Amino acid sequence: MPEVSPTPPGTLGSKILRRGRRTVLGMDPQKLIKNFFGANSSIAIIVLVLIMVFLLREGAGFLSTYHHELETYRKAGLEFCDIADTPLKQQQTMASSLRRALSIEMEPLVKTARERRDAAFLFKRAHDEQNSDGTATFDASPLFTPEEKNQLKAELAALAPESTDLPATLQKLAGEFATKDREAKTKFKTIIEAEETFEEAAEPVAEILDELKTHATETKEAANEFHTLEAGRQQLLAAAASASGSEKADLLKEAELSKVEEPKYAERVETLLEKREDLVKALGDYVTAVEEAAKSLQSSSTHPEAAQLIASVEKAIPTHLADIQKASKDLAAWKWDEPVSFFRAVSSFAFGTGWITNSSWQDFYGVLPLLTGSLLISFVALFIATPISVTAAIYTNQFASEREKELIKPVIEFIQAIPSVVLGFIGIAVVGDLIKGFSQWEFLSWIPGFPIQERLNIFNAGFLLAFMAVPTMFSLSEDALNNVPRAYSEASDALGATKLQTVFRVIVPAAISGILSAILLGLGRVIGETMVVLLVAGNRIAIPDFSDGLGAIFQPAHTLTGIIAQELGEVSRGSSHWQALFMVGILLFVISLSVNWCARTIAKRFEHPKA
Amino acid sequence: MNNPFAGDNSSIQRRETLARWLLRLGSYVVVALTVSIFLFITVKGLPHALKPGFLTELTSTLHVIESNDGQVFKTNPVEADVIKKQLGDNFRSEKTISYSGGGILGPIVGTALLVIVSVTVALFLGVCCAIYLSEYAKKGKFLETVRLAILNLAGVPSVVFGLFGLGAFVLTAPVLTDAPADRAIFVIPLFFTNLSFQGWDTCVLSGGFTLAFVILPVIITASEQCLQAVPQGFRETSMALGATRWQTIWRSVLPFATPGILTSTILGIARAAGETAPIMFTAALAFKDKLPWQKDLPPLPADAGMFAHWEQSVQRFLGVFTESVQALPYHIYTLAAKIPQNEYSEQAQYGSVFVFLILVASLAATSIWLRIHLRKKYKW
């Protein structure tokens, strides 16, 4: 565009012209207008900077707050209790799988007797309430011979209405069950005993720990109260410094009044340390007892599922014991006044495996489970969306007739307008049930994780997000294909290549950088999506269990975006939880910026010469 | 006569056809999915959306009363008491389902207000930015930075915009007030009042401004494309006749770009109406039993002058923007995730989803249709 050259200065004519112009701040109207628009154009930069500023303002205090909280956690001795408590939690899951194995083993032996007893008692109740449905169920029951049925009916009829005695048949049935149960228990005596020893072994440790925990919680509460009051006092002092006269004196007096003693950590921790030897000893006893129990566990079991459960426990025991022994060592080495390094707060946020809030014990803000959830969902979404949208782009750009283009393009563009909350709703109402229904089909059972337990899971969210990502990836890939110089395809055609060869050996490779950056931008869109994952991902804050391989994608998870949307409304401003959520926001912001940066770099790197 | 160009049905050609069909299948899977989602929502939601009062009543709690002789009454809280009295001993049970009764007038009005504010703000900022980029800017560092910023802004997750809106508009934005709140960051005293940076609280204004920045990149990019599409010759002709740069833009560029800009604005409206995360903490409310303008203001004295009446009308009008509202997407979220699910809440859900989808979809469809239409009309 040619620039309008300014009137040359100095001539008389120009001076006259200039007199007619008004200037503001040394700028004539044209310049003013230009600068106005120029200022407006920097709005995008300003907004980006402002986003960062406000996120930092609310979230920047997080690391120091969290560091402080972790310090109290150590000083008050909560950490001391957790050293022993964390490995003990494994014991509970192990005990529960042992119990389950046991019930699986015993089930075939006692099943008939128990069902017969229960059915008879149900019938008695139906008879008492004169419920005809109950009688019908009993009549149809295959568990009893006709003679037995008639006998029970006769006995019930003969029974006095208010009598609390049990009819003879019922007593007999109850007796039968008891005998069977006893038989089963004798048969699996070793497992039962092992299970009992296993459970009892932890009891002395738990007893000591409970006592210590109460004590530590008290210290922590005192410390928190002290910090609140102290913060208030500092504010009063600050106000006093800027006030004057009698007001100042009042404020100072008030500050003096609200002064409290900091809890004496050393004294309070002493109580914990006194028990240290007991605790270590109890842990030692626990180790011996568990080893004992593990030996008797090795008896072969008959049922495959039970055997699997028992085997998994057996496999877990050595690591568990190693953990316990490590815990004993840590307990012995633990010092309450060892300073908590600032790095610990950072790593506890970035690599912490627990996001635990509103707990009466201690809050932890570990972002790892959320990050894993977000990434898993995004990868599932990309895995589904990439082939579909790239295929659609290739087809629309290279093969489709004009008429088809007029159908496909608007429809795919239209997807962009479907609000995410509507898709989330569809995920809850339809897709969840569909996936669960599919997973129960016999011939699909080879897929890991099938049949699935939860309707709302990673796969469901990923599927819907894939749908959302299609328009972005489709239109950007199509642009990339469109930008391939015509000469390329013409040259290929001239060499006698078929259409398919031209497309897949010439055009797609030439556009690959654009397609890759389209995929990356799709990833950016997917990772930042909120409503779908909030509604559909299942919202369980835990790192998915990868022991099942790919089956992990059928477990529920929580995400970075979801946690903000879910929890921010309920926390008070300025608390560590609030700050933590803003830190998650900062993390998301940084992720989205870097994904964008990568996409641009890739697109630039492989740019082909403009023809 | 044989067609010399006919296929010879060789293996190569069969492979070509197969591949072509596979590619076609990939494209039509997406189309089929979209259409089936749309049909599904229509079939499930249309009957509920057509119920009398669904579009014209405010949201309320649904009371379901069963009588002993098997009658079922679905009513609002006020009538529920009357019916219970009438039934007397015949009354068997009552269930209450939050947010599922009445209609969705409140959410519709709220969404409309949010959209009006956000589009006004975004259109002004976006078009100004686009004019600079297309008409004034010269290649250089500044232009590159601006373009990079726009790209990055488009990639920022919507929930981060929500956090930004909370920090910036709800908690920090400046207000004129006589009594600044304690939480204000700083207060600039003016002669008759104070400019206090204490935030606008959760209200339409906060939500609208937040949404404006969400759709800003869309508007900028689309407007710039429309401006660029106006042929260079128009500008040169105007300049050659001695018009200034601004006259050129105002008289011979903008008139031709405006239809396109407005068309793409409709797409921006659809986007703004559909976003949930940015308004969650800045404007939306799960339940409200009044429309934004039904506000209790102190009654005017009988002898109040024109000015007092006028002042109150203005106050009422401004009050609309300084209150939090229900919004359709947030309403759907509440219905789907925050209350126990049963058949009655399901009806309210499908009804609202249908209305919402129709609103947004018709906006998007209009925009797409208009664009195709315009493209045919303006061919230079």
Side-chain angles (χ1 to χ4, degrees):
Chain A
M1 214 181 302
E3 272 299 307
V4 188
S5 55
T7 351
T11 63
L12 184 68
S14 78
K15 271 183 187 154
I16 293 168
L17 272 178
R18 217 167 248 192
R19 201 177 293 157
R21 286 193 193 167
R22 267 166 282 159
T23 55
V24 182
L25 298 172
M27 292 185 283
D28 60 46
Q30 291 303 318
K31 219 169 186 183
L32 264 182
I33 293 172
K34 182 182 170 180
N35 283 338
F36 168 74
F37 286 126
N40 255 305
S41 73
S42 55
I43 185 80
I45 306 173
I46 295 173
V47 171
L48 273 181
V49 172
L50 278 183
I51 291 178
M52 207 57 222
V53 166
F54 280 105
L55 287 182
L56 277 177
R57 195 187 81 183
E58 301 292 337
F62 171 73
L63 286 176
S64 72
T65 320
Y66 193 37
H67 179 235
H68 184 79
E69 274 183 13
L70 287 177
E71 241 167 14
T72 316
Y73 171 67
R74 173 167 289 174
K75 278 190 200 157
L78 275 76
E79 188 186 43
F80 182 75
C81 302
D82 267 350
I83 292 177
D85 203 32
T86 318
L88 272 188
K89 277 185 188 130
Q90 299 166 2
Q91 188 258 357
Q92 281 163 14
T93 49
M94 281 151 77
S96 88
S97 31
L98 275 185
R99 272 197 299 274
R100 216 163 70 228
L102 192 62
S103 72
I104 292 170
E105 290 275 29
M106 284 172 56
E107 187 65 12
L109 286 181
V110 296
K111 193 176 168 208
T112 343
R114 193 187 59 228
E115 279 177 359
R116 271 161 66 91
R117 180 197 62 171
D118 290 349
F121 273 92
L122 262 181
F123 174 60
K124 179 172 182 289
R125 196 189 302 157
H127 181 86
D128 291 348
E129 289 170 4
Q130 299 183 337
N131 179 346
S132 54
D133 289 349
T135 319
T137 332
F138 180 68
D139 280 339
S141 165
L143 292 166
F144 302 96
T145 58
E147 292 90 63
E148 282 176 321
K149 284 180 189 168
N150 288 335
Q151 202 193 345
L152 184 58
K153 276 183 194 164
E155 278 170 14
L156 283 175
L159 209 62
E162 301 295 320
S163 161
T164 50
D165 293 345
L166 280 179
T169 317
L170 282 183
Q171 281 179 9
K172 202 184 92 205
L173 286 171
E176 257 174 44
F177 172 70
T179 331
K180 283 278 179 196
D181 197 43
R182 216 173 305 126
E183 265 174 37
K185 279 191 178 147
T186 351
K187 192 174 171 199
F188 299 109
K189 201 161 164 247
T190 43
I191 305 184
I192 293 178
E193 273 172 7
E195 200 258 336
E196 273 167 7
T197 0
F198 193 62
E199 273 186 49
E200 279 163 15
E203 272 165 23
V205 188
E207 229 166 77
I208 301 177
L209 267 180
D210 278 344
E211 201 182 309
L212 295 183
K213 275 182 180 174
T214 332
H215 186 80
T217 318
E218 277 167 18
T219 320
K220 186 189 156 192
E221 268 159 20
N224 282 348
E225 204 185 330
F226 163 73
H227 288 307
T228 328
L229 288 174
E230 181 65 18
R233 199 172 71 92
Q234 292 299 341
Q235 260 177 9
L236 284 176
L237 286 179
S242 61
S244 59
S246 65
E247 203 179 340
K248 182 168 186 168
D250 281 351
L251 284 170
L252 281 177
K253 209 169 126 196
E254 207 177 319
E256 196 55 41
L257 276 178
S258 68
K259 195 167 183 179
V260 276
E261 284 279 300
E262 190 170 5
K264 296 207 169 51
Y265 295 111
E267 273 174 33
R268 306 243 353 147
V269 157
E270 208 47 52
T271 328
L272 299 184
L273 295 181
E274 272 167 21
K275 295 267 179 178
R276 169 143 68 182
E277 272 170 30
D278 289 355
L279 192 60
V280 172
K281 191 170 157 289
L283 281 176
D285 291 348
Y286 171 78
V287 170
T288 1
V290 169
E291 270 169 354
E292 201 62 37
K295 260 179 223 151
S296 49
L297 258 186
Q298 279 148 3
S299 64
S300 63
S301 51
T302 46
H303 201 277
E305 204 180 332
Q308 205 186 352
L309 278 171
I310 292 180
S312 75
V313 172
E314 265 180 70
K315 218 173 99 187
I317 280 181
T319 32
H320 172 57
L321 290 182
D323 283 351
I324 294 273
Q325 269 150 356
K326 187 172 169 290
S328 321
K329 267 185 217 137
D330 288 350
L331 280 178
W334 184 79
K335 283 199 199 76
W336 71 275
D337 47 359
E338 196 180 331
V340 180
S341 73
F342 196 74
F343 178 72
R344 168 102 190 269
V346 179
S347 69
S348 172
F349 173 75
F351 307 110
T353 53
W355 180 277
I356 301 160
T357 53
N358 293 332
S359 99
S360 56
W361 178 244
Q362 171 78 21
D363 287 355
F364 287 104
Y365 304 104
V367 88
L368 206 57
L370 308 173
L371 191 64
T372 338
S374 275
L375 288 180
L376 264 182
I377 290 176
S378 310
F379 285 128
V380 171
L382 277 194
F383 191 74
I384 302 173
T386 308
I388 290 184
S389 36
V390 173
T391 319
I394 294 176
Y395 181 75
T396 321
N397 191 262
Q398 296 293 325
F399 296 97
S401 63
E402 280 304 311
R403 193 172 276 261
E404 275 183 308
K405 270 187 200 172
E406 266 170 37
L407 171 73
I408 297 174
K409 277 181 152 185
V411 168
I412 291 188
E413 226 173 301
F414 180 76
I415 299 176
Q416 218 160 18
I418 300 181
S420 56
V421 70
V422 169
L423 279 181
F425 171 72
I426 288 171
I428 291 184
V430 190
V431 183
D433 290 323
L434 274 183
I435 297 177
K436 199 166 182 189
F438 282 138
S439 80
Q440 268 143 11
W441 287 0
E442 206 50 47
F443 67 90
L444 284 178
S445 57
W446 52 270
I447 298 177
F450 272 28
I452 58 174
Q453 311 291 326
E454 300 285 340
R455 250 168 11 108
L456 305 180
N457 54 42
I458 294 173
F459 178 79
N460 192 346
F463 175 76
L464 288 164
L465 285 182
F467 190 66
M468 288 195 77
V470 163
T472 315
M473 289 162 70
F474 169 82
S475 48
L476 290 171
S477 310
E478 219 231 314
D479 281 350
L481 290 169
N482 229 355
N483 284 341
V484 175
R486 247 185 107 81
Y488 285 30
S489 60
E490 278 165 3
S492 169
D493 282 345
L495 287 172
T498 65
K499 179 76 180 164
L500 205 63
Q501 285 167 333
T502 310
V503 169
F504 281 103
R505 303 216 185 141
V506 177
I507 297 180
V508 173
I512 198 72
S513 67
I515 294 177
L516 277 181
S517 87
I519 293 172
L520 269 178
L521 287 173
L523 172 72
R525 182 147 165 70
V526 160
I527 227 170
E529 175 45 49
T530 313
M531 293 319 287
V532 169
V533 291
L534 178 60
L535 287 169
V536 182
N539 295 356
R540 190 186 68 180
I541 308 176
I543 297 176
D545 177 15
F546 287 100
S547 61
D548 204 9
L550 270 183
I553 62 169
F554 293 104
Q555 292 169 8
H558 217 315
T559 52
L560 295 170
T561 48
I563 202 91
I564 298 178
Q566 193 181 27
E567 293 184 346
L568 192 66
E570 290 148 15
V571 294
S572 58
R573 190 185 175 193
S575 65
S576 56
H577 191 178
W578 166 283
Q579 292 173 330
L581 290 174
F582 271 86
M583 277 298 281
V584 175
I586 294 174
L587 183 64
L588 268 173
F589 187 65
V590 171
I591 291 177
S592 79
L593 288 190
S594 39
V595 166
N596 248 319
W597 180 81
C598 286
R600 267 176 52 84
T601 318
I602 289 182
K604 255 192 185 164
R605 181 129 200 192
F606 301 100
E607 226 166 36
H608 37 74
K610 288 265 181 303
Chain B
M1 197 177 121
N2 277 344
N3 179 358
F5 300 109
D8 53 357
N9 203 20
S10 64
S11 68
I12 291 179
Q13 201 182 22
R14 261 178 283 150
R15 212 166 54 208
E16 294 266 316
T17 325
L18 182 72
R20 191 175 285 223
W21 274 101
L22 279 180
L23 290 170
R24 179 175 285 176
L25 187 76
S27 327
Y28 282 96
V29 160
V30 182
V31 175
L33 262 179
T34 318
V35 173
S36 58
I37 284 179
F38 202 76
L39 284 182
F40 176 78
I41 294 290
T42 312
V43 169
K44 283 275 218 174
L46 190 61
H48 308 301
L50 287 180
K51 264 190 274 181
F54 191 71
L55 293 176
T56 53
E57 278 176 20
L58 289 170
T59 314
S60 63
T61 306
L62 182 69
H63 286 243
V64 179
I65 301 173
E66 270 183 63
S67 66
N68 275 328
D69 48 3
Q71 276 179 292
V72 181
F73 302 91
K74 288 187 250 177
T75 63
N76 56 29
V78 184
E79 277 173 45
D81 291 338
V82 182
I83 291 178
K84 265 192 280 184
K85 226 171 258 169
Q86 275 175 2
L87 284 175
D89 288 342
N90 203 2
F91 171 78
R92 187 199 260 170
S93 67
E94 181 181 13
K95 265 192 283 185
T96 56
I97 300 120
S98 332
Y99 316 130
S100 303
I104 51 168
L105 182 62
I108 292 178
V109 169
T111 295
L113 285 173
L114 286 170
V115 165
I116 290 172
V117 173
S118 64
V119 168
T120 316
V121 175
L123 203 57
F124 176 75
L125 293 175
V127 171
C128 289
C129 179
I131 288 179
Y132 181 81
L133 291 181
S134 150
E135 307 297 321
Y136 287 104
K138 286 186 217 102
K139 269 197 178 156
K141 223 151 191 116
F142 179 66
L143 185 67
E144 237 169 69
T145 325
V146 168
R147 288 201 190 283
L148 191 64
I150 294 171
L151 274 180
N152 280 321
L153 198 63
V156 172
S158 57
V159 73
V160 174
F161 275 111
L163 289 178
F164 162 66
L166 176 62
F169 301 117
V170 177
L171 297 172
T172 320
V175 286
L176 288 172
T177 173
D178 295 333
D182 284 342
R183 64 160 193 267
I185 299 171
F186 54 88
V187 179
I188 304 172
L190 303 173
F191 297 111
F192 50 96
T193 177
N194 291 298
L195 189 66
S196 159
F197 285 79
Q198 61 183 22
W200 296 335
D201 252 333
T202 49
C203 65
V204 173
L205 222 49
S206 306
F209 269 77
T210 313
L211 282 177
F213 291 118
V214 178
I215 60 172
L216 191 62
V218 181
I219 303 247
I220 294 178
T221 320
S223 308
E224 202 200 334
Q225 273 173 9
C226 294
L227 289 169
Q228 294 283 0
V230 176
Q232 204 57 38
F234 285 31
R235 299 184 181 90
E236 282 159 10
T237 320
S238 168
M239 295 279 208
L241 289 171
T244 59
R245 179 62 64 89
W246 172 241
Q247 282 168 329
T248 307
I249 295 171
W250 185 245
R251 296 271 165 80
S252 46
V253 177
L254 273 184
F256 301 97
T258 312
I261 293 177
L262 290 182
T263 305
S264 45
T265 308
I266 302 179
L267 212 57
I269 295 180
R271 177 93 197 272
E275 286 286 356
T276 320
I279 56 169
M280 265 182 151
F281 330 112
T282 53
L285 208 59
F287 182 70
K288 192 171 187 181
D289 56 356
K290 274 184 196 154
L291 288 171
W293 51 83
Q294 291 168 336
K295 202 175 175 186
D296 295 322
L297 290 176
L300 287 175
D303 57 343
M306 254 251 301
F307 183 72
H309 277 286
W310 182 76
E311 196 188 356
Q312 197 168 49
S313 306
V314 171
Q315 216 179 337
R316 200 176 279 279
F317 175 73
L318 290 180
V320 167
F321 296 101
T322 52
E323 275 193 36
S324 37
V325 286
Q326 280 185 293
L328 259 177
Y330 192 68
H331 184 62
I332 294 172
Y333 166 65
T334 320
L335 286 177
K338 293 215 165 163
I339 58 170
Q341 307 292 304
N342 56 37
E343 49 180 316
Y344 300 107
S345 64
E346 194 187 280
Q347 291 178 2
Q349 283 165 15
Y350 277 109
S352 325
V353 168
F354 172 72
V355 173
F356 188 35
L357 194 60
I358 287 294
L359 277 179
V360 173
S362 51
L363 283 173
T366 324
S367 162
I368 294 173
W369 181 80
L370 270 178
R371 197 175 53 209
I372 295 170
H373 190 73
L374 281 179
R375 217 175 265 163
K376 279 180 189 156
K377 192 176 160 197
Y378 288 104
K379 269 207 174 130
W380 27 60

